[in-house]
Amino acid sequence: MSLRHANGLTLDHIIRSDRASIQLSVPQLIEAALYRREGSLTDSGALQVTTGTYTGRSPKDKYIVRDSITASHVAWGSTNQPMTTEQFGRLYRKALQYLEQRELFVFDGYAGADAAYRLPVRVVSEYAWHNLFAQQLFIKPMQEELRSHKPAFTVISAPGFKADPAEDGTNSEVVVAISFEERVVLIGGTEYAGEMKKSIFSVLNYLLPFQDVFPMHCSANIGADGDTALFFGLSGTGKTTLSADPNRSLIGDDEHGWSPQGVFNFEGGCYAKCADLAPEKEPEIWQAIRFGTVLENVVLDSKTHVPDYADKTLTENTRAAYPIDFIPNAMIPGVGGHPKTIIFLTADASGVLPPIARLTKEQAMYYFLSGYTSKLAGTERGVTQPVATFSTCFGAPFLPLQPTVYAELLGQRLDEHRAQVYLVNTGWTSGPYGTGSRMKLSYTRAMVKAALAGALADVTVTADPIFGVLVPDYIPGVPNEVLVPRHTWPDAKAYEAAAQELAQQFSRNFEKFSDVADNIRAAGPRVSG
């Protein structure tokens, strides 16, 4: 397939025109965004923008081009929807026509802090603030690197380019299409900047397992003695909050690879949720919101331009995008050794999972494949309250390959490096959503601190009678009754019913993993009846 306009014009020709601004600095991009009325400055100097109709990802509008490279490897289905090469070619040529007469912004950088595995990327955007977002989220090249930079993947972000479902075979006006043959990501119809970073995450999730690298949807930090920790979990479960620890250095807040040499960040920045953000709860994130930060869909006071993080008029999914060096104790470059502690975060809206539990290797494999959480409002459009979901490997929307590929990589790493795995519930206690309350962040921090310090490795534990996980009998700073969910519920029978219902959901979900070993399958919850 030749990705050219009918008159022979290519993206390279468009980029070389006088309408394309290449590798602008942060101040230049902010000036351009303000001049073009794309956003406003907050009182702290951050650039506030809104994303219109789409304030979260559009998973039903994401496609992978089915070609000679992907046909036999991708786990095709509702998550990885196929697009033909002909469809992609038509859309791409229409996108070139659209871009030909518009001012564009170009950023060249990298995904991957480990030079042995990094992916050179180019972002071509219609909006100046989208290019600022890319510059802050991806890894910026040094000047000498820029001279030899050759993009291995190009992301085109064109919100004004809208697909025609009748003509293009898409589900809506939004399209996020990845072509591994052409090494292009085409994003149209949506202003939500998160599509750019997550599309490259999907690309890395496809490419890296073939290089013996385990790609992970997790945050990572490192202690003073070099102990690396990983935090798996979907958006809203606390990855960013819990990994931004003033006593540990932050490797990254969302996407990492675990190679034979250790852990490395895919990104050069953070994309933190900031609904109800407060300096006393998340001081590192609060202080990072300054000049150079992109603040998405946060409502400002019309006169003072002070952000109101409690105002969710536009969306629950308000975000701050900033370079990782805005966090005082960031690890630069974002690399660390093999992890000693791995934490699976879940926001359980049913309120029945313990707030922390130690997992055997088999249980770790089971809960990793299950990827249970309650999807929180705002991360995807159409979600307005918590919905129970099982997102395989804590990142199903971004995993092009079969789930067992990632699970086997986790199992291999656990065998090789003997990391201790914990399941941590940052969701509800004393009852389900609507009746109980959200787990106190101070309790979660105390539990995570104890786990990272190795203080839970040898404490006495009690196996949960339904979920089988090993619950510590005592943790400093946490009331004993909080550790056992059934003790927090006012109605024991209601707890048992809710716990059994969740156990059955686990069991039903796991039926799709027909090729998983019996010992891993047996590590799941015990379903009665």
Side-chain angles (χ1 to χ4, degrees):
M1 178 172 62
S2 177
L3 295 185
R4 293 172 178 267
H5 185 286
N7 63 8
L9 190 64
T10 66
L11 182 62
D12 284 343
H13 283 107
I14 295 173
I15 291 173
R16 287 196 293 267
S17 74
D18 57 7
R19 288 185 295 276
S21 299
I22 299 174
Q23 218 71 11
L24 295 185
S25 67
V26 167
Q28 287 176 315
L29 287 169
I30 292 173
E31 285 179 345
L34 294 173
Y35 177 78
R36 292 157 55 92
R37 299 183 182 275
E38 293 177 2
S40 303
L41 287 184
T42 71
D43 67 322
S44 67
L47 180 68
Q48 183 266 359
V49 297
T50 57
T51 63
T53 303
Y54 305 106
T55 58
R57 290 182 294 103
S58 298
K60 294 180 180 179
D61 299 306
K62 176 188 169 187
Y63 305 87
I64 296 176
V65 179
R66 186 166 189 155
D67 53 34
S68 59
I69 295 174
T70 59
S72 61
H73 295 296
V74 170
W76 301 108
S78 58
T79 298
N80 296 311
Q81 301 179 99
M83 174 178 281
T84 67
T85 56
E86 291 75 20
Q87 277 180 288
F88 183 79
R90 285 195 302 271
L91 278 164
Y92 188 88
R93 285 187 284 274
K94 288 167 65 174
L96 287 184
Q97 286 181 311
Y98 176 83
L99 295 172
E100 187 179 358
Q101 301 302 321
R102 283 167 174 79
E103 182 180 7
L104 298 176
F105 301 88
V106 182
F107 167 73
D108 285 341
Y110 298 100
D114 187 332
Y117 303 103
R118 69 184 184 184
L119 180 76
V121 296
R122 169 170 287 170
V123 177
V124 180
S125 63
E126 178 182 2
Y127 291 173
W129 82 260
H130 274 190
N131 218 254
L132 174 64
F133 177 95
Q135 183 167 154
Q136 304 298 49
L137 263 293
F138 294 115
I139 296 172
K140 299 175 187 176
M142 304 293 287
Q143 280 301 315
E144 56 270 24
E145 293 175 325
L146 191 58
R147 285 192 287 270
S148 60
H149 185 280
K150 294 182 179 179
F153 243 93
T154 297
V155 178
I156 299 171
S157 175
F161 170 67
K162 301 182 188 301
D164 181 343
E167 182 177 300
D168 301 319
T170 57
N171 291 324
S172 76
E173 65 183 2
V174 176
V175 61
V176 181
I178 303 174
S179 170
F180 284 92
E181 187 174 74
E182 301 295 343
R183 298 258 169 166
V184 167
V185 178
L186 175 60
I187 303 171
T190 175
E191 299 177 41
Y192 183 63
E195 297 285 13
M196 291 186 287
K197 83 179 223 87
K198 286 306 185 186
S199 64
I200 289 297
F201 184 40
S202 297
V203 167
L204 292 171
N205 278 322
Y206 180 90
L207 296 174
L208 289 178
F210 295 107
Q211 303 177 54
D212 193 27
V213 175
F214 173 28
M216 306 173 293
H217 185 208
C218 70
S219 57
N221 64 24
I222 188 168
D225 63 353
D227 62 301
T228 298
L230 304 180
F231 300 78
F232 284 85
L234 301 182
S235 296
T237 56
K239 292 195 314 299
T240 300
T241 299
L242 293 169
S243 59
D245 185 333
N247 298 312
R248 297 174 65 85
S249 296
L250 180 68
I251 298 174
D253 82 327
D254 195 40
E255 305 169 4
H256 293 81
W258 188 351
S259 76
Q261 289 74 46
V263 170
F264 64 96
N265 192 0
F266 287 167
E267 301 182 296
C270 302
Y271 194 35
K273 293 194 76 170
C274 50
D276 298 317
L277 182 67
E280 61 275 8
K281 290 196 302 182
E282 297 167 303
E284 291 84 6
I285 298 173
W286 180 273
Q287 293 167 13
I289 299 175
R290 49 192 169 93
F291 186 80
T293 295
V294 178
L295 209 55
E296 273 187 332
N297 296 313
V298 174
V299 176
L300 303 183
D301 182 280
S302 60
K303 291 185 178 180
T304 65
H305 281 213
V306 173
D308 184 353
Y309 297 110
D311 190 332
K312 306 178 188 70
T313 303
L314 297 177
T315 179
E316 291 268 354
N317 191 35
T318 53
R319 295 272 183 167
Y322 48 85
I324 197 167
D325 60 12
F326 279 19
I327 297 292
N329 57 340
M331 175 65 69
I332 299 173
V335 296
H338 298 291
K340 293 183 178 180
T341 308
I342 298 175
I343 292 173
F344 293 164
L345 296 166
T346 181
D348 174 33
S350 68
V352 299
L353 286 179
I356 190 168
R358 201 165 69 212
L359 304 181
T360 66
K361 177 200 167 183
E362 291 74 21
Q363 288 172 336
M365 300 294 291
Y366 183 95
Y367 283 95
F368 179 70
L369 278 167
S370 297
Y372 167 71
T373 193
S374 297
K375 189 179 294 178
L376 302 183
T379 302
E380 291 182 11
R381 56 192 174 99
V383 178
T384 57
Q385 61 181 356
V387 177
T389 187
F390 292 87
S391 184
T392 305
C393 307
F394 295 101
F398 322 116
L399 305 182
L401 305 178
Q402 294 293 340
T404 50
V405 171
Y406 308 101
E408 287 170 4
L409 283 167
L410 172 63
Q412 291 169 13
R413 297 296 189 265
L414 292 179
D415 281 337
E416 292 166 358
H417 305 290
R418 303 296 176 185
Q420 181 61 67
V421 184
Y422 294 91
L423 181 67
V424 173
N425 175 20
T426 61
W428 278 258
T429 183
S430 306
Y433 174 82
T435 301
S437 58
R438 192 76 188 259
M439 187 69 62
K440 288 185 178 180
L441 181 58
S442 60
Y443 291 165
T444 301
R445 286 194 190 279
M447 291 182 280
V448 169
K449 181 180 179 180
L452 296 180
L456 303 184
D458 299 315
V459 299
T460 59
V461 295
T462 301
D464 186 281
I466 294 176
F467 296 98
V469 295
L470 306 174
V471 181
D473 294 330
Y474 171 75
I475 298 177
V478 183
N480 287 350
E481 63 272 15
V482 172
L483 297 174
V484 183
R486 68 181 63 232
H487 293 169
T488 69
W489 281 53
D491 186 336
K493 289 185 177 179
Y495 168 82
E496 291 290 337
Q500 274 298 324
E501 170 57 29
L502 182 58
Q504 290 168 10
Q505 290 183 43
F506 268 99
S507 180
R508 289 192 295 268
N509 173 73
F510 214 79
E511 289 174 0
K512 64 190 176 187
F513 302 116
S514 57
D515 55 345
V516 170
D518 290 342
N519 63 334
I520 296 174
R521 190 177 305 279
R526 297 166 177 82
V527 178
S528 64

